[in-house]
Each structure stands twice: as C-alpha cells, then as structure tokens.
Amino acid sequence: MIKKVKIAAVLGIIFSALFFGRVPSQILDDLNLASAVGYDFAGENRIKTTSVVPVFNPDKSVGNETFTATDELSKETLRKMNLSSARRLVNGKLEVALYSKELAKRGIGDLLDTLQRDPSISERLLVAVADGEAEQLLTNKYGDRDTGVFLSMLIDQNIKAGLVPTYNLHLFLNNYYSKLSDPFLPLIGQKGKDVQIKGIALFKGDRFLKTLHEDHQFVFKALLEKLKSANYKLRLKEDEFVVIENVNSKHRVRVRNGKHTPEISIGLRVKGIIREKMGKTTNKREIHYIKKQMKKQLEKQGTEMIRSFQQSGIDPLHLGNEVRSRTRNFNTKKWLAQYPDIKITIKVDVDILEKGVID
Amino acid sequence: MSIQIKDEFRVSPFLVLFLVHGTQYGIGVLSFQRDVASIVGHDAWISVIITGVILHLLIWMMYSMLNKDKGDLITINQHTFGKWIGNLLSIFIIIFILSHTITVLRSYIEIVQVWMFPLLKTWPFALVILLAVYYIVTSGFRVVTGVSFLSVVLPFYLVFTFFVPIEFSNFRNLLPVFDHSFVEMARSIKTTALSFSGIEHILFFYPFIQKPESSQKWAHYGNLLTTSLYLLIMVVTLVFFEHEYLNSVIWPTLMLWKIIELPIVERFEIIGVTSWAVVMIPIICVMFWSASRGIKEIFKVKQKKALVLLLFICFMISCFLTEREMIQQFNKWQSEVSFFILLIYIPILFVCYHIRYKLRRKG
C-alpha cells in the first residue's frame, strides 16, 4: 500500500514537472538576433530605436534588415519593432549600441538602464556615439558583413592597434557610476559611403560634453593604459614630419600632499621605431633632435589636454582614483572642488629604439 | 551517554572537508560581496579573512565540546541546559536550519528565473529538487556525504573563471589598505555570516564520522578552502567593479561571468548558473539530513517521517515567497539569525558546556 502511494507520488511529481515546469522554447532559426541597436532623439523624452538584424542570404552573402520604432522606453520600442518583424526580435547577441550625438548631449543615463538590467546583454557590448543620426548610420551596409558585426570589428580593431582606449560596457559603467571619474566613448560617423571612427567623445556624468582634440588622442590613450603598438606623427619643423611606429608606453602617477592640496606628477615613458621621415637623414644628432622634439610635443599635448579636462571639470584619466588610492580618509567632495585648480605636471621620456634599414 | 552509530554508516574523517566546504559554499557566494562592500568598501577582503579566522575558532569550540560529549547538538544541549530547555534550544536550531534550506532553494530558483527562464514557475522546479533531496537523504548519511564530495569536485573548474575579469580590472581599487574603522569592520562581519554558515552541521554529523577526533583538521581545511575561495572572489570583485557600481549590482559573482566570452558560448553565466545546481544540492541535503536527524532524536520519530514534514514545509514557504523584495527580506532575517547562531549561540554554549562539565566532574 505504502509502496503504491510512493510510486503515485513520484509519478505525480514527474508529470507535474513536465506539464507545469515548461517554459516556451526559443528556436534560433525563429528568432531575429539583433546585432546592433541605435538610439536617436525624437522629441522630449522620446527616443527612436533602430535595430539591425543580419540576414543570411542563400548565396552566402550577409545582408541587413533594420527596424525602427519610437517611444519613451527602449523595451517598448522593441515590442513595436516586433510588430513588423516576422520572427521574434531579441537582443541576446547585441554587439554595438549607438547613441546619436543629440541624444548623448541630453544624457543617456536612463537609456543605459535597459543595457544593465537585461541579463541577456553582454558586458563586452561596445557602446558608441554616432555623429549625426544613428538610424542613418545603421541602415547603410558596410563591407561584407552586417552592420552590427562590422561596427564591432571596426571598434575592436581600433582598440587593439589604434588610438581608441580599451573600453566596453562594463568599463564605461564603472566610470559612469564612479563619482571620481567620467566616461568616454568613441565617436563614429559617416564619411561618404564609409563609416569611420571620428574621435573620442568625452562625457560629464551621462551627458556628452565635447570631443577630444585629435592631437590629444595619442596622449589620452597613453595615460590610460600601456600602449602596445601605436603610431605617432611628430612635427619637426614647419613642414617636416616624422612617423614613429610600434610605440610602447608606460606611465606612472605620483601624488604629493594628497591630504590637503594634492600635486600630481605623471611620468610617461615612450619607446618607438622611426618608420617614415621627411628629409632623409637620420644621424645621431638628428635622432637626438627627434627625441627632444617628441618629448616637447608630447608634454605640450598632455598638459593642454589635462588643463582642458580641469577647466571642464571632467576626469576621464582616473586621476581622482589615483589620489584616493594614496590618501587615507579621502574626501570626495573636497577633491571635486579642488580638482580644477590642482597642479598636474607631465614628464615624458622618449626612446628611439631603431630607425629602420636605412640611415 | 554517547551516541553509538554502527561502523557501516560512518564516513572517513577526510570527507568532513567536503561536508564543511560543501555546505558553506553555496548561494551566499553569488551575492555576498555587495553587502560587505557597502559597509567597508575596498577593505571588504579583510573582513572575509577575519570572518574565516573567527570560524576556525568556532570549529575548534565545537570540536572541544563534541570530543568530550561524544554526542551531537541535541545531547550537548541536554547536558548543558537540562532536558526541557536544551530540547527547546535544539528545536530553535532545527527551525533555523529549515529556514536556511528555504533561503538556499528559493534564492537559487530566483537566480534561474532572473538569469535564464523568466517564465519558470517556482513550484514544479522546487518539487523536482526536493524529490532529489528526499531520495538522497533517505539513502543515508553516506550518500549525503558522497553527493557533497561530488558537488565540490565536479564544479571546481569554475574557480578558473574568476581569473578572467582581471583583464578589465584596476588593482588600485584595493588601496589604501585598512581605511575603515574597527566598528565598521565588525559590522561588516555580521553581513558575511549567512555565506559562511554551514559549519554548525558538524554538531549533527559528528557521531557519523570514524575516529571523529581526527576529523577536526579536515574541518579546518574545509573552512580554509571556503575562506580562500571567498577571498579570491572578493578581491576580483573589488578590482573589477568601482565601488558605486558594485552597490547597484545584486549578484556580483554572476556579473563577473558576464564578461567571459567563449567562441561557442555567448553567455557564460548560463553555464555558471546551471553548474550551480550541482553546488547547491548538497547544501540542502546536508541541512535536511541534520534537521530530520535532530527531530528524530528529540521526538523519537522515524527520520523519514520527519524529513517528509520538513520537505513539505520548505516547499510551501518557497512557493509563497514570490517577489524579489520578499526573498530579500527573508534572506536578511536569515542572515541576522545566522549571525546570532554562529557568533553568539555557539560561544555561549561552549562556555556553559565547559562550566557544567567541570561541575559534574567535581560532583
């Protein structure tokens, strides 16, 4: 008798698990996996969302399909976009999220919420600011891939070998949440039919403030991380230039008197190889001159850049965190008040390792 | 008046390592960082070490009682406080263990619901897990031990995944060391109690160990393993997240996995959450075993009957906890009680027991 009850109980549990424990399945072929999403400003508190879905054609080429919808909330635009999609649109494979410049100027804090709250969005998502309309940028097709993958490869390539500092959604959010530092994002725009990285967009909190000066990009990346292989164009005379390649760099921050009025000195060490030079000769004297000029130019660019950061009250270089980590009982409010006026010096050491195969 | 268990039901002393570590390392590890860091910020790793050391002390206290008594929590309580008050205390502990199982089960189901299947119903999932628990616990203590052994060994590969986020970390976040007051440190230890609790089950399974005196070092090793894993996860979390960001993250450990990208798997945290089912099962098993064993001894009923009752209560309450806020509130209470049981009740019991023991010797 007891045995029968037991068997009945076990069967009952298995049946109820099979009947009630089911969740709707999502079959990959029946889904539209968005690879990029773009947000545009569409009136007060309204956004226009554009989603890009790759279409795999029978002839093995990859095309694009874009959906657009307008609403107050990002997830609601997703529902509206689904109204015109034959397969369900989901965002588990999102690679790039673009915000138009206009929207970024008004603040993207509320829009970031969906990217954080939704567990299906990767922490490696690349966020960027679109110069102009994000919709326009996403509906065009570039290269042989779909736009989402193309943009993510484009940004990735420029992080690895170019002048975009290492970042992803996680690092962006770290800077965004931190009271001590401010985030930055790459600025992507169209140039004719192509798309290109136009620079670095600097944020104050969640608002786009200004773009980083083109000349400052090198020193900006060098002060954030170790450069592995970057290019640097150096002006020797009015119309004489030289290109230093494979630049390695290291930087070190020193803080004095962190308790009261901090003084920050940054040491930057740069090593590189000469690859192209106007006015052929590269003798010992010339190399010495190049080193001196490079040091001067980098120090000037660095000081200018930091000065402009101080004037606008932003800190994308994490200098606040450097001071905090060296000061006991750090006072955030006091630091933020002091920041525009503290003394920050930058000292550069340059090494030219090789000069190619000719003298 | 010691408890004699037949030799064929006992387990080797070294398996205590897996029993202790297996019951400590579970649901708390997915979310303990935020509560600690909200009080002591970047010094949170220090309070993990301090808690680990305190727990070593508690293990020593428990063994010093058990080695003299040769019994378990129920007999110790009876010998210290007399039959009625002693049993009442034991019942409180059993209720605490029961609510702990609810915390673990419901928290895990919540994680599955939030991270993987939002539409999953609580009760069928709970029913299936509890069926497995019934099957394991009724098979005896040796099977429970075997399951906790497997649950430590099988998902051990997950340890390596905690090194991946270091790529995007800033070790400056840890400095300056010891920037918080002792009061804040002490308060933060309170929040870690739930994630470290689990050692109290030694008080129940002690008679089931061969040469139980020799198992003490394995219990310490188990706690050492737990502490070092918690320390690793805590340090990685602190360098990976800015302090203000960490305060808004509910499950920092799962967020650590979100940064991992494999060519074949886009979302590693799904593998993590699934593996966690293996990590979580033995905790529930050991707890149900302890609780039902306690009821058996106090009320002299069959362990199976006690177990069915406990499983039923656990199932009902788990199903009633439906909202995030309710679960969070329940976990908060559980953490307070854990702190009380571990850091207040056990030391008091230790002192009282030894006083009684001395008096009885003299008398």
Side-chain angles (χ1 to χ4, degrees), chain B residues 58 164 193 285 320 325:
Chain B
L58 290 176
V164 178
C285 290
F320 280 123
E325 300 305 319

Side-chain angles (χ1 to χ4, degrees), chain B residues 149-192:
Chain B
F149 172 79
L150 284 179
S151 81
V152 174
V153 175
L154 286 181
F156 202 76
Y157 68 92
L158 287 174
V159 171
F160 302 108
T161 62
F162 295 125
F163 291 97
V164 178
I166 289 176
E167 189 190 341
F168 299 103
S169 294
N170 178 10
F171 277 86
R172 281 242 149 249
N173 287 356
L174 291 177
L175 294 171
V177 177
F178 219 94
D179 200 20
H180 293 81
S181 68
F182 282 100
V183 182
E184 284 171 316
M185 282 286 173
R187 269 176 54 219
S188 72
I189 286 166
K190 206 175 155 185
T191 59
T192 52

Side-chain angles (χ1 to χ4, degrees), chain B residues 223-284:
Chain B
N223 187 39
L224 189 67
L225 182 59
T226 310
T227 314
S228 21
L229 280 175
Y230 280 5
L231 185 63
L232 169 73
I233 293 167
M234 185 54 107
V235 168
V236 172
T237 309
L238 290 174
V239 296
F240 186 64
F241 291 100
E242 283 288 329
H243 182 53
E244 286 94 354
Y245 185 18
L246 182 59
N247 278 340
S248 73
V249 176
I250 301 175
W251 293 282
T253 309
L254 293 172
M255 290 293 267
L256 292 180
W257 284 333
K258 264 183 101 177
I259 202 81
I260 301 173
E261 205 173 70
L262 299 174
I264 44 159
V265 186
E266 190 79 5
R267 285 290 100 74
F268 184 81
E269 67 270 17
I270 287 181
I271 295 179
V273 170
T274 318
S275 308
W276 223 254
V278 186
V279 180
M280 181 229 24
I281 282 275
I283 311 176
I284 303 185

Side-chain angles (χ1 to χ4, degrees), chain A residues 17 20 92-93 119-124 168 170 173-174 177-178 321-322 324-329, chain B residues 42 114 120-121 123 128 168 170 172-173 175-179 240 242 244-245 258-259 266-267 269:
Chain A
F20 301 107
K93 192 97 179 78
S120 64
I121 284 172
S122 168
E123 288 277 276
R124 285 191 194 237
N168 50 35
H170 174 78
L173 288 175
N174 259 352
Y177 272 97
S178 169
N321 199 31
E322 298 278 349
R324 183 204 59 79
S325 68
R326 288 170 172 85
T327 318
R328 289 197 175 273
N329 300 322
Chain B
H42 55 271
V114 172
L120 183 73
K121 290 193 188 81
W123 69 266
V128 172
F168 299 103
N170 178 10
R172 281 242 149 249
N173 287 356
L175 294 171
V177 177
F178 219 94
D179 200 20
F240 186 64
E242 283 288 329
E244 286 94 354
Y245 185 18
K258 264 183 101 177
I259 202 81
E266 190 79 5
R267 285 290 100 74
E269 67 270 17

Side-chain angles (χ1 to χ4, degrees), chain A residues 15-133:
Chain A
F15 273 118
S16 59
L18 286 177
F19 280 108
F20 301 107
R22 301 196 328 185
V23 290
S25 59
Q26 298 187 348
I27 297 162
L28 200 61
D29 300 297
D30 296 339
L31 295 175
N32 261 341
L33 294 161
S35 62
V37 63
Y39 298 100
D40 282 309
F41 179 71
E44 204 55 44
N45 279 330
R46 282 178 82 79
I47 47 164
K48 186 168 74 182
T49 312
T50 313
S51 277
V52 182
V53 177
V55 179
F56 300 95
N57 297 322
D59 61 342
K60 287 185 181 169
S61 68
V62 187
N64 269 332
E65 201 179 341
T66 47
F67 298 93
T68 333
T70 311
D71 200 274
E72 276 91 5
L73 291 168
S74 162
K75 278 273 139 46
E76 185 61 16
T77 57
L78 184 67
R79 184 191 71 83
K80 284 186 180 168
M81 280 187 271
N82 264 316
L83 293 176
S84 51
S85 172
R87 289 175 289 182
R88 202 175 139 216
L89 199 62
V90 292
N91 48 19
K93 192 97 179 78
L94 213 56
E95 308 239 6
V96 177
L98 289 181
Y99 296 98
S100 77
K101 215 174 182 176
E102 207 184 343
L103 195 64
K105 273 180 190 156
R106 289 162 200 267
I108 55 172
D110 292 337
L111 293 168
L112 286 170
D113 184 85
T114 176
L115 300 182
Q116 299 170 56
R117 203 176 286 280
D118 189 345
S120 64
I121 284 172
S122 168
E123 288 277 276
R124 285 191 194 237
L125 177 82
L126 296 167
V127 191
V129 176
D131 199 10
E133 287 266 292

Side-chain angles (χ1 to χ4, degrees), chain A residues 35-36 54 93 95-96 145-154:
Chain A
S35 62
K93 192 97 179 78
E95 308 239 6
V96 177
R145 316 246 166 180
D146 72 278
T147 306
V149 175
F150 182 88
L151 288 178
S152 97
M153 281 168 73
L154 174 81

